[in-house]
Amino acid sequence: MSDLSIELTAPNGRKYTQPTGLFINNEWVKSSDGKKITSINPTDETDIAEVYAASVDDVDTAVAAARKAFKDPSWRDISPTDRGNMMMVLSDLVAKHADTLATIETWDNGKPYADSLGDVGEVVGVLKYYGGYADKIHGQVIDTGPAKFAYTIREPVGVCGQIIPWNYPLAMAAWKLGPALACGNTIVMKAAEQTPLSILYLANLITEAGFPPGVVNILNGVGRVAGAAIATHVNIDKVAFTGSTATGKEIMKMAAGTMKNITLETGGKSPLLVFDDADLEQAVKWSHIGIMSNQGQICTATSRILVQESIYDKFVEAFKKQVAELSVVGDPFAETTFQGPQVTKVQYERVLGYVKAGKEEGATLISGGEAFTKGSSSGKGFFITPTIFTGVKPSMKIFREEVFGPFVVIASFKTEEEALELANDTTYGLGSAVFTKDITRAHRVAKRIEAGMVWINSSNDSDYRIPFGGVKQSGIGRELGEAGLAGYTQIKAVHVNMTSD
């Protein structure tokens, strides 16, 4: 329908057709109550487009479509190989539309265009990876003796509600779509209300790839309405959520009403440990990448840098220089830009609020911590200069709470034991990093750090073939890798009596 899409021209000159409706049953529809949300360009604070926002009734409609598709032979009885091939086709279509998808992502989210292209590349890889797994998901025969023939079947969970965040809209969508589709589930996905545009464009590619109506449904909407309706819906069998720990706890409570299968990937305050025998240049390079990439809006960002006392001053000086030289703040479509704007005004103000808190608590601000007003020609936009605090104590708010921005604290330690105590003194447990040339120490520390992931001599170079997830209040379950399939299947045991008794 022409009134469910608009023609847009992005700041880089690319023209494209932007869907604005709800994608239900392979069709674009308006919300039942006509409500909309506005997507804002964080670079200059102008409106990009209005899209329809799903009501509770719209969630009901999408869930009904997904349930019907789950039982329909066109999806239920398709061979796993054909299902995987369909995912491969979708992967190829994403690659074909990479420039447009990356353009939308940068315009809507604010991340540098080169980073958006990298995210699209990850979508291509994830869909292809799980497409290859589709016909390799199987049960086993269990030998209990001649009196019984026993085997297991790995069956899809059913209708999956998937709620994705705004920091990596396309990549996080792929992380959830990939394993769910490979296992034969159907999906009701809610895009982040701050960044809905790229996923809506992706929806048309899902139809083009040949997925039957109702297999994938994509809704825009606010969390307290559409998100809550998904989490509580009696006909949704599983909820997968990526976002803040506070929201994850609410999702968990709501899902408990119907005892849904859940996967949660939530917040983090990840430590990065630099020992005195580390390659300092490598440690500085990866420390910068680990916190300042993607505007610091990364759940696994290594935002607490812990440096051994004997090299602390030398590291701080080198790190400050690295940030000053490489963290070029500006127009996300400019080739020279490393850091674009924060995604929203709320996030922008949140980061500046933590700058104020750090100063009030007595930490030392050695770089940044201010609004950056040269990111757009209008002088507007949600830009912040990369922020570095030293003299930070473990009791301070900026040491303990997730900021989710280009904001890092640097503290010192004397011994390995003290480093581990500082690293583990947190309610979070998502990522961590260790820099040392001592391979024995590296493995010893990796074993003792309380986190779902440890990088040794790197930071945040995740890979879709490797499990991703946390411990403590950083989530439940794993995404990516073979482990990512576990949350989207359930095991049925079949017992066959082989005797006449």
Side-chain angles (χ1 to χ4, degrees):
M1 293 176 64
S2 60
D3 58 345
L4 289 169
S5 65
I6 55 174
E7 300 301 317
L8 293 177
T9 302
N12 64 351
R14 180 167 285 272
K15 300 177 186 293
Y16 77 100
T17 303
Q18 174 64 56
T20 58
L22 310 176
F23 184 72
I24 300 175
N25 222 29
N26 281 13
E27 295 179 348
W28 293 105
V29 297
K30 298 178 180 180
S31 56
S32 58
D33 58 8
K35 289 185 178 179
K36 295 181 179 181
I37 52 179
T38 302
S39 187
I40 296 171
N41 177 5
T43 299
D44 61 9
E45 304 178 47
T46 58
D47 293 351
I48 301 174
E50 281 189 326
V51 297
Y52 283 96
S55 66
V56 173
D57 287 343
D58 296 320
V59 173
D60 286 342
T61 302
V63 172
R67 179 62 63 189
K68 184 175 183 292
F70 184 68
K71 295 179 178 180
D72 193 277
S74 65
W75 182 247
R76 182 193 63 198
D77 297 341
I78 190 175
S79 80
T81 302
D82 289 342
R83 189 166 65 235
N85 287 341
M86 205 177 292
M87 295 178 67
M88 301 283 192
V89 171
L90 178 58
S91 174
D92 290 341
L93 285 170
V94 170
K96 181 180 176 182
H97 290 258
D99 290 339
T100 300
L101 285 165
T103 294
I104 302 169
E105 196 83 323
T106 291
W107 195 8
D108 201 20
N109 171 277
K111 66 176 64 189
Y113 181 69
D115 291 358
S116 293
L117 278 174
D119 289 356
V120 175
E122 179 155 339
V123 175
V124 172
V126 169
L127 292 172
K128 193 165 290 187
Y129 176 82
Y130 282 113
Y133 253 118
D135 57 4
K136 300 167 188 68
I137 301 165
H138 49 73
Q140 61 183 158
V141 174
I142 302 168
D143 187 359
T144 64
K148 177 181 283 191
F149 176 61
Y151 63 95
T152 61
I153 305 169
R154 287 181 68 181
E155 298 182 329
V157 172
V159 176
C160 300
Q162 300 181 328
I163 302 172
I164 62 174
W166 46 256
N167 57 336
Y168 290 95
L170 286 170
M172 295 299 99
W175 285 23
K176 290 171 174 54
L177 287 169
L181 292 172
C183 295
N185 298 280
T186 57
I187 295 161
V188 176
M189 175 175 283
K190 191 193 89 66
E193 59 210 71
Q194 300 86 349
T195 55
L197 303 184
S198 59
I199 302 163
L200 295 180
Y201 188 89
L202 178 69
N204 278 333
L205 305 185
I206 290 169
T207 302
E208 189 176 343
F211 285 89
V215 171
V216 179
N217 306 274
I218 297 176
L219 306 177
N220 319 304
V222 297
R224 64 183 178 273
V225 178
I230 287 171
T232 57
H233 205 288
V234 69
N235 283 319
I236 286 181
D237 304 296
K238 175 189 176 67
V239 171
F241 166 81
T242 297
S244 72
T245 294
T247 304
K249 289 177 180 179
E250 292 303 310
I251 295 283
M252 196 172 181
K253 289 176 186 175
M254 289 186 281
T258 50
M259 292 190 71
K260 297 187 194 309
N261 176 320
I262 60 171
T263 300
L264 303 176
E265 194 270 284
T266 53
K269 190 73 173 176
S270 300
L272 184 148
L273 282 58
V274 184
F275 288 92
D276 58 10
D277 67 334
D279 180 327
L280 189 66
E281 184 178 344
Q282 185 182 46
V284 167
K285 180 188 82 170
W286 283 103
S287 294
H288 173 253
I289 292 169
I291 179 57
M292 297 301 175
S293 56
N294 207 55
Q295 295 65 251
Q297 297 168 155
I298 313 172
C299 52
T300 51
T302 37
S303 55
R304 291 184 298 144
I305 300 177
L306 310 176
V307 185
Q308 197 150 23
E309 198 172 66
S310 59
I311 61 167
Y312 180 82
D313 291 339
K314 189 175 181 181
F315 175 89
V316 169
E317 182 182 355
F319 180 76
K320 182 180 177 181
K321 183 173 182 249
Q322 182 87 350
V323 172
E325 291 178 354
L326 296 187
S327 281
V328 177
V329 183
D331 177 3
F333 282 106
E335 291 184 10
T336 55
T337 296
F338 179 88
Q339 180 187 314
Q342 305 311 119
V343 70
T344 60
K345 186 175 183 180
V346 170
Q347 196 62 26
Y348 165 84
E349 291 176 344
R350 173 186 170 88
V351 177
L352 291 178
Y354 275 101
V355 173
K356 181 181 178 183
K359 291 177 180 178
E360 290 174 348
E361 288 185 309
T364 303
L365 177 66
I366 66 166
S367 183
E370 300 173 332
F372 182 82
T373 57
K374 299 178 182 178
S376 68
S377 58
S378 65
K380 294 186 176 182
F382 308 129
F383 297 91
I384 294 175
T385 53
T387 303
I388 308 171
F389 272 99
T390 59
V392 180
K393 298 177 182 178
S395 60
M396 291 181 177
K397 182 178 181 179
I398 60 172
F399 186 89
R400 308 201 67 80
E401 296 183 12
E402 183 178 39
V403 177
F404 222 65
F407 186 113
V408 68
V409 299
I410 309 177
S412 65
F413 65 87
K414 292 181 180 179
T415 66
E416 180 180 313
E417 195 63 33
E418 184 186 5
L420 284 163
E421 286 180 9
L422 287 168
N424 293 334
D425 183 18
T426 174
T427 57
Y428 298 111
L430 193 51
S432 60
V434 180
F435 285 84
T436 177
K437 291 178 182 176
D438 184 338
I439 194 67
T440 302
R441 170 190 276 160
H443 288 294
R444 182 173 64 239
V445 172
K447 185 175 178 63
R448 291 189 59 192
I449 285 183
E450 296 167 358
M453 296 167 286
V454 182
W455 290 282
I456 296 176
N457 295 327
S458 69
S459 177
N460 276 277
D461 55 336
S462 299
D463 189 295
Y464 56 78
R465 293 159 291 198
I466 301 171
F468 185 103
V471 298
K472 297 199 258 189
Q473 292 187 36
S474 286
I476 296 171
R478 293 293 179 269
E479 295 187 305
L480 301 184
E482 184 179 9
L485 297 165
Y488 289 98
T489 63
Q490 49 198 2
I491 297 175
K492 177 182 286 183
V494 181
H495 303 252
V496 182
N497 182 3
M498 302 295 285
T499 73
S500 57
D501 296 335

